[in-house]
Amino acid sequence: MIIFGVAFLALCTLTGIFVGELLGKLLGVPANVGGVGIAMVLLILLGSYLKQRGLFNMETEQGVKFWSAVYIPIVVAMAAQQNVYGALSGGPMAILAGVAAVAVAFALVPVLDRIGRKKHEADEAKPLTTEG
């Protein structure tokens, strides 16, 4: 049933938030450290495990897909807002780290493009076999 997918997503989210809060306390940071990321990893790993065992049917998967379509954009927007606020209030080092990360990401686009082209060109170079 679809409700099982929603319950599965809620369980992963609550577990991720709990572990993130625990990590924050262990590291001495007054915040949730990676709770949403932990929840997503749990969702992927447990979902794959249950699907391989035949315990995760299509209707359950629809419940997860429905909320993930809504949940992920909201989380990304919330994280982006927090990162911008943190960078502006954190001083020049935080802003420099953000600019450096974006510059590295832009610099890697041509590298990834070349990797994708090599694989595509190798597929095109394979000779076609004729059956007859």
Side-chain angles (χ1 to χ4, degrees):
M1 291 192 337
I2 293 174
I3 194 73
F4 291 143
V6 175
F8 178 68
L9 181 63
L11 178 69
C12 289
T13 302
L14 291 174
T15 304
I17 290 171
F18 175 74
V19 173
E21 291 289 334
L22 188 63
L23 277 174
K25 289 188 189 303
L26 290 173
L27 295 173
V29 178
N32 184 322
V33 179
V36 173
I38 293 167
M40 289 296 139
V41 170
L42 279 173
L43 184 65
I44 292 167
L45 293 177
L46 289 175
S48 296
Y49 176 78
L50 292 173
K51 197 168 190 175
Q52 287 176 351
R53 300 277 185 240
L55 301 172
F56 204 66
N57 61 20
M58 184 57 90
E59 290 177 345
T60 305
E61 193 171 338
Q62 286 176 348
V64 173
K65 284 182 181 180
F66 169 75
W67 282 106
S68 66
V70 176
Y71 180 73
I72 292 172
I74 291 171
V75 170
V76 169
M78 288 175 12
Q81 180 183 4
Q82 289 176 349
N83 290 342
V84 169
Y85 176 73
L88 292 176
S89 65
M93 188 51 123
I95 294 172
L96 180 63
V99 170
V102 170
V104 169
F106 280 138
L108 288 176
V109 169
V111 175
L112 294 173
D113 182 49
R114 274 188 238 121
I115 291 170
R117 284 187 188 177
K118 286 180 184 176
K119 185 175 182 180
H120 182 66
E121 290 169 0
D123 289 342
E124 288 179 355
K126 292 180 183 176
L128 296 174
T129 59
T130 57
E131 295 178 24

